[in-house]
């Protein structure tokens, strides 16, 4: 997949104040290309997480059209979505979607054992770099949200992708860890030639963005 | 897979699943035991009579002093036959055709110095009433070999009466089947010699039976060409327990030659009882299945978030459904194996009892029951897997 195109897309809940929408994303023709690094800045309640949910096929309550290359995503079948989520699209959800019953390491491995994409050595080095090597065997439920964000980031890198979305990835991180996470994300995306889309409601990851959009 | 299982086994209720296993085991055992018991016991009603069709009755007229003196009245007239044929309980009616010629038979083993010779008679019934290998139960013109079915009583009379008192050797059915009889047929100034071969023994037909094809030919060849009214009829009925049969026979003064009516009733009641028992078994199995379905629904419901997250990180619905599908598959397999083991133990007990009551009982195998068990196991498992798949699919679609 080389391109994600939004054509006049708008969450159904915004339909009533359609005329008041002033956004670079909603009700516009927008193309997100492979290789780009895009920041989407948003105020609360402007549909940031909704956008991620639409692109991941989790929700469909929007009007207009969203296309992967030239394919309308509403026409994709279950098996197409499974393949996309495994091989083309990765995301760090705002709510992380980790499994509290599993340890940090297991949360990463449950993804990597499906894709067999990263080596254990690579994963270990990320745990080290992000300062959570000592937390590998801790249950996710017993870790702070900031630590969980780092685990979720590592998990999102354990698959091949054309686009990676990070929904408020550093909301609970200090500057040092934000910077490390930004570097890891960017280097892995560059390695794969992928597009990076980061959303933020304030503090944002310090990356060399090719495009900054207001939601 | 290990991690997925670790995740999805959360909230599995041991109580609910043991409840299902126990209930399903009881249900399946009852169904299989019912079928096996029916198969084992029903052979009592049809033992050693495999070549005769089941639901038929042999009809004769009562012999009384008047008929003895006049020599008439024990044959069925055309009208009587037609009337019987048109009764609602009659499925089909066949006539016993007596021989219109003289028959004498001699048999024995010359090397042991035994030789019997006797006057005898032949009768035949239409071949469709003799459920016998048609290649053996046939007579070809100009062929000297003649297949014969003898009443088992004759053999018993010899073995336990004659041979016992005269100190002669007893003969088994197998030995007798290997001996050929010399049959002499005469009449119409002709005489013919045949090799009679006993192909079977009958408990229910008190006559010496030869193929219809031989009788037709021989009556024409050796007979006086007079049409003889039959004295016995063979009647196939829809339901041997039908009260109207008994009433009709009493009104007409007919008799049946054996206890077929009683036996038919017993067999019918056995069928009903086994049917009810198996029905209860099926009901329990269905309820057990329902319990399992509810447990799985509850389990999937409790694990909805986990399942949803697995789907969002790239697991396919079939991959996510598999742990639960395997779980039910192994539970059902366990139930199947347990039910078969219980069946074998229980069958051991009742067979011991049956064998002491009916020493000659032909015991069948477990084949049909095993087949039914496997069919049940596969059906229930497929149903479970399908329901689980549907449930996972509904989680996928929940947000759509």
């Amino acid at each position: 997949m080389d391109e994600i195109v939004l054509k006049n897309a708008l969450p159904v809940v915004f339909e009533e104040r359609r005329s008041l929408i002033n956004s670079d994303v909603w009700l516009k023709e927008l193309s997100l290309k492979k290789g780009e690094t895009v920041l989407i800045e948003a105020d609360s309640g402007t549909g940031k997480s909704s956008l991620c949910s639409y692109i991941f096929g989790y929700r469909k309550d929007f009007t207009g059209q969203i296309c992967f290359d030239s394919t309308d995503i509403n026409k994709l079948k279950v098996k197409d979505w499974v393949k996309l989520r495994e091989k083309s699209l990765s995301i760090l959800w705002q709510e992380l979607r980790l499994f509290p019953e599993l340890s940090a390491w297991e949360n990463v491995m449950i993804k990597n054992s499906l894709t067999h994409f990263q080596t254990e050595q690579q994963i270990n080095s990320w745990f080290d770099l992000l300062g959570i090597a000592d937390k590998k065997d801790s249950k996710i439920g017993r870790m702070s949200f900031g630590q969980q964000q780092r685990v979720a980031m590592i998990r999102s890198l354990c698959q091949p992708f054309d686009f990676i979305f990070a929904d408020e990835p550093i909301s609970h991180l200090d500057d040092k860890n934000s910077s490390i996470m930004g570097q890891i994300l960017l280097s892995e995306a560059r390695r794969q030639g992928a597009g990076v889309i980061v959303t933020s409601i304030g503090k944002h990851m310090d990356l060399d963005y090719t495009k900054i959009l207001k939601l | 897979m290990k991690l997925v299982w670790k995740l999805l086994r959360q909230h599995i209720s041991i109580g609910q699943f043991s409840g299902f296993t126990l209930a399903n085991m009881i249900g399946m055992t009852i169904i299989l035991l019912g079928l096996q018991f029916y198969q084992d016991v029903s052979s009592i009603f049809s033992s050693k009579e495999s070549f005769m069709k089941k639901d038929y009755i042999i009809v004769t007229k009562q012999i009384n002093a008047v008929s003895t003196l006049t020599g008439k009245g024990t044959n069925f007239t055309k009208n009587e036959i037609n009337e019987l044929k048109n009764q609602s309980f009659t499925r089909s009616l066949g006539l016993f055709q007596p021989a219109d010629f003289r028959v004498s038979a001699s048999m024995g083993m010359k090397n042991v110095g035994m030789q019997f010779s006797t006057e005898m008679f032949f009768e035949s019934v239409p071949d469709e009433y003799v459920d016998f290998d048609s290649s053996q139960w046939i007579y070809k013109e100009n062929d000297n070999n003649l297949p014969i079915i003898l009443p088992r009583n004759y053999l018993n009379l010899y073995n336990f009466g004659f041979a016992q008192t005269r100190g002669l050797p007893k003969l088994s059915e197998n030995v007798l089947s290997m001996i050929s009889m010399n049959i002499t047929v005469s009449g119409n100034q002709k005489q013919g010699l045949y090799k009679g071969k006993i192909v079977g023994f009958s408990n229910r037909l008190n006559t010496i039976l030869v193929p219809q094809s031989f009788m037709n030919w021989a009556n024409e060849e050796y007979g006086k060409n007079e049409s003889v009214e039959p004295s016995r009829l063979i009647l196939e009925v829809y339901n041997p327990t039908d009260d109207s049969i008994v009433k009709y026979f009493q009104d007409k003064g007919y008799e049946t030659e054996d206890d077929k009516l009683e036996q038919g009733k017993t067999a019918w009641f056995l069928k009903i009882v086994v049917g009810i028992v198996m029905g209860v078994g099926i009901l329990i199995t269905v309820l057990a299945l329902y319990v399992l379905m509810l447990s799985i629904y509850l389990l999937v419901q409790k694990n909805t978030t986990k399942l949803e997250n697995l789907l969002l990180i790239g697991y396919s619905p079939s991959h996510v459904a598999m742990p639960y599908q395997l779980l039910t598959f192994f539970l059902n397999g366990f139930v199947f194996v347990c039910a078969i083991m219980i069946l074998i133990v229980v069958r051991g007990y009742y067979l011991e009892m049956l064998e002491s009551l009916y020493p000659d009982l032909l015991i069948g195998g477990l084949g049909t029951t095993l087949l039914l068990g496997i069919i049940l196991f596969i059906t229930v498992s497929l149903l479970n897997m399908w329901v689980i798949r549907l449930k996972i699919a509904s989680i996928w679609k929940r947000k759509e």
Side-chain angles (χ1 to χ4, degrees):
Chain A
M1 189 193 344
D2 293 319
E3 194 184 18
I4 298 172
V5 183
L6 281 80
K7 293 175 187 166
N8 274 319
L10 185 69
V12 172
V13 286
F14 295 166
E15 208 51 53
E16 283 175 6
R17 49 190 177 98
R18 194 182 178 94
S19 56
L20 302 172
I21 298 288
N22 178 22
S23 157
D24 297 332
V25 177
W26 303 131
L27 295 175
K28 295 273 163 33
E29 173 128 3
L30 171 71
S31 164
L32 302 167
K33 291 196 172 61
K34 215 174 156 181
E36 286 181 338
T37 308
V38 179
L39 175 68
I40 298 178
E41 287 191 307
D43 296 331
S44 301
T46 49
K48 182 172 44 66
S49 294
S50 299
L51 177 68
C52 294
S53 294
Y54 300 152
I55 289 174
F56 275 81
Y58 182 54
R59 282 166 50 190
K60 287 191 168 180
D61 54 328
F62 63 91
T63 58
Q65 207 180 24
I66 300 175
C67 295
F68 293 159
D69 294 334
S70 55
T71 312
D72 186 336
I73 63 168
N74 278 331
K75 292 190 176 131
L76 293 174
K77 300 205 163 58
V78 173
K79 67 173 184 338
D80 301 324
W81 280 114
V82 170
K83 207 170 152 195
L84 281 167
R85 289 172 188 176
E86 197 188 336
K87 298 201 166 111
S88 300
L89 288 171
S90 186
I91 187 170
L92 193 170
W93 296 94
Q94 186 191 353
E95 64 273 30
L96 307 182
R97 295 188 175 270
L98 294 168
F99 302 107
E101 300 84 355
L102 302 181
S103 68
W105 180 257
E106 287 169 335
N107 263 283
V108 175
M109 291 317 286
I110 203 167
K111 173 90 195 194
N112 203 49
S113 62
L114 180 72
T115 59
H116 302 287
F117 189 65
Q118 301 289 3
T119 60
E120 286 199 13
Q121 193 188 1
Q122 175 68 75
I123 296 168
N124 267 315
S125 78
W126 284 332
F127 270 91
D128 285 340
L129 281 170
L130 288 166
I132 47 172
D134 57 331
K135 297 283 180 188
K136 272 193 276 188
D137 296 326
S138 303
K139 285 259 166 24
I140 282 293
R142 300 217 179 108
M143 292 167 73
S144 75
F145 197 80
Q147 289 167 331
Q148 290 183 27
Q149 274 185 322
R150 284 172 263 175
V151 175
M153 167 56 74
I154 297 174
R155 186 180 72 178
S156 69
L157 297 178
C158 288
Q159 71 166 94
F161 51 81
D162 298 317
F163 289 92
I164 185 162
F165 285 74
D167 192 3
E168 290 191 50
I170 53 158
S171 60
H172 289 69
L173 294 186
D174 57 32
D175 290 345
K176 185 183 153 220
N177 274 313
S178 308
S179 161
I180 296 170
M181 197 197 260
Q183 284 164 21
I184 292 173
L185 175 64
L186 210 58
S187 73
E188 185 61 23
R190 293 257 158 85
R191 189 173 76 81
Q192 296 198 39
V196 179
I197 293 102
V198 181
T199 72
S200 159
I201 52 167
K203 193 170 87 164
H204 56 75
M205 224 178 220
D206 198 12
L207 298 175
D208 194 8
Y209 295 106
T210 46
K211 221 189 264 181
I212 296 178
L213 303 168
K214 189 177 159 297
L215 193 66
Chain B
M1 195 67 201
K2 216 176 95 189
L3 284 173
V4 175
W5 173 240
K6 184 175 177 182
L7 202 59
L8 295 184
R9 73 173 181 215
Q10 310 277 333
H11 301 300
I12 283 183
S13 157
I14 304 285
Q16 281 170 7
F17 279 79
S18 344
F20 155 74
T21 309
L22 192 69
N24 196 15
M25 199 187 298
I26 292 170
M28 203 161 178
T29 307
I30 290 176
I31 295 175
L32 297 183
L33 201 58
L35 178 71
Q36 188 62 44
F37 183 75
Y38 178 73
Q39 282 186 321
D40 289 336
V41 173
S42 66
S43 66
I44 292 171
F45 298 99
S46 56
S47 60
K48 295 194 176 182
E49 201 60 43
S50 57
F51 54 88
M52 300 306 302
K53 288 203 168 174
K54 277 168 192 159
D55 286 329
Y56 76 88
I57 298 163
I58 293 161
V59 189
T60 55
K61 284 189 173 176
Q62 276 172 351
I63 296 174
N64 53 34
V66 178
S67 60
T68 309
L69 287 173
T70 58
K72 281 186 180 175
T74 56
N75 290 348
F76 288 92
T77 63
K78 273 204 175 107
N79 284 342
E80 285 170 332
I81 292 168
N82 281 336
E83 197 186 324
L84 191 54
K85 206 178 264 178
N86 292 328
Q87 293 301 310
S88 58
F89 52 76
T90 306
R91 190 196 289 268
S92 70
L93 185 72
L95 311 181
F96 275 76
Q97 192 179 355
D100 191 18
F101 46 82
R102 290 165 67 91
V103 183
S104 71
S106 64
M107 66 183 293
M109 291 173 280
K110 278 183 183 146
N111 47 359
V112 287
M114 277 171 35
Q115 185 84 18
F116 302 97
S117 183
T118 178
E119 288 267 313
M120 61 194 262
F121 63 96
F122 281 157
E123 273 187 301
S124 73
V125 291
D127 287 349
E128 68 252 32
Y129 294 94
V130 182
D131 197 8
F132 204 73
D133 180 7
S134 56
S135 66
Q136 280 199 59
W137 190 244
I138 197 157
Y139 171 77
K140 291 189 202 87
E141 226 170 287
N142 299 324
D143 184 359
N144 272 343
N145 289 317
L146 183 61
I148 294 171
I149 292 174
L150 277 187
R152 186 167 277 113
N153 282 347
Y154 283 26
L155 183 62
N156 290 344
L157 202 63
Y158 166 78
N159 274 340
F160 303 113
F162 195 68
Q164 186 100 7
T165 50
R166 298 287 174 92
L168 289 168
K170 289 182 181 171
L171 299 174
S172 75
E173 290 177 11
N174 284 342
V175 168
L176 215 56
S177 300
M178 286 188 286
I179 303 169
S180 61
M181 289 191 286
N182 296 315
I183 310 274
T184 313
V185 174
S186 57
N188 203 11
Q189 283 110 42
K190 290 180 198 163
Q191 192 169 355
L193 278 174
Y194 299 91
K195 288 273 173 210
K197 172 121 179 87
I198 298 164
V199 293
F201 289 87
S202 170
N203 281 334
R204 287 169 35 195
L205 282 172
N206 259 327
T207 190
I208 301 165
L209 214 57
V210 290
Q212 182 81 47
S213 48
F214 174 77
M215 189 59 86
N216 289 343
W217 175 80
N219 269 350
E220 209 152 283
E221 183 79 9
Y222 304 107
K224 298 184 278 290
N225 287 327
E226 288 170 2
S227 70
V228 185
E229 283 177 340
S231 61
R232 289 200 277 193
L233 304 176
I234 187 162
L235 180 69
E236 192 178 1
V237 293
Y238 289 106
N239 177 6
T241 60
D242 192 343
D243 287 342
S244 58
I245 305 177
V246 180
K247 195 168 174 298
Y248 183 81
F249 280 20
Q250 278 171 354
D251 289 349
K252 295 281 175 184
Y254 297 165
E255 277 185 334
T256 58
E257 258 193 1
D258 57 12
D259 56 352
K260 178 62 199 166
L261 283 175
E262 286 306 312
Q263 211 176 59
K265 273 183 196 167
T266 318
W268 189 76
F269 281 121
L270 179 76
K271 267 183 209 167
I272 296 290
V273 169
V274 169
I276 292 170
V277 168
M278 284 177 73
V280 170
I282 290 169
L283 191 71
I284 293 174
T285 303
V286 169
L287 288 177
L289 204 64
Y290 190 64
V291 170
L292 179 69
M293 290 292 123
L294 284 181
S295 306
I296 288 171
Y297 266 60
L298 210 60
L299 187 61
V300 171
Q301 209 70 45
K302 282 180 181 164
N303 284 332
T304 298
T305 315
K306 291 184 191 65
L307 291 163
E308 201 171 74
N309 288 345
L310 281 172
L311 293 173
L312 282 172
I313 63 168
Y315 280 87
S316 64
S318 55
H319 199 152
V320 169
M322 199 186 287
Y324 292 142
Q325 289 175 329
L326 284 176
L327 174 69
T328 55
F329 182 79
F330 283 120
L331 273 182
N332 288 327
F334 174 72
V335 165
F336 169 66
V337 171
C338 287
I340 292 292
M341 288 195 316
I342 295 172
L343 171 79
I344 290 170
V345 172
V346 174
R347 188 173 180 245
Y349 282 111
Y350 77 69
L351 275 190
E352 213 172 289
M353 205 171 71
L354 279 182
E355 273 169 351
S356 64
L357 287 173
Y358 302 93
D360 294 339
L361 193 63
L362 293 168
I363 304 293
L366 284 167
T368 317
T369 311
L370 274 177
L371 189 71
L372 178 74
I374 290 169
I375 290 172
L376 273 177
F377 162 55
I378 291 174
T379 312
V380 170
S381 297
L382 285 179
L383 197 67
N384 289 158
M385 288 177 180
W386 179 64
V387 170
I388 292 167
R389 193 63 203 270
L390 278 187
K391 195 68 190 156
I392 302 285
S394 81
I395 288 179
W396 178 285
K397 286 181 190 153
R398 224 160 64 102
K399 296 284 175 180
E400 287 186 5

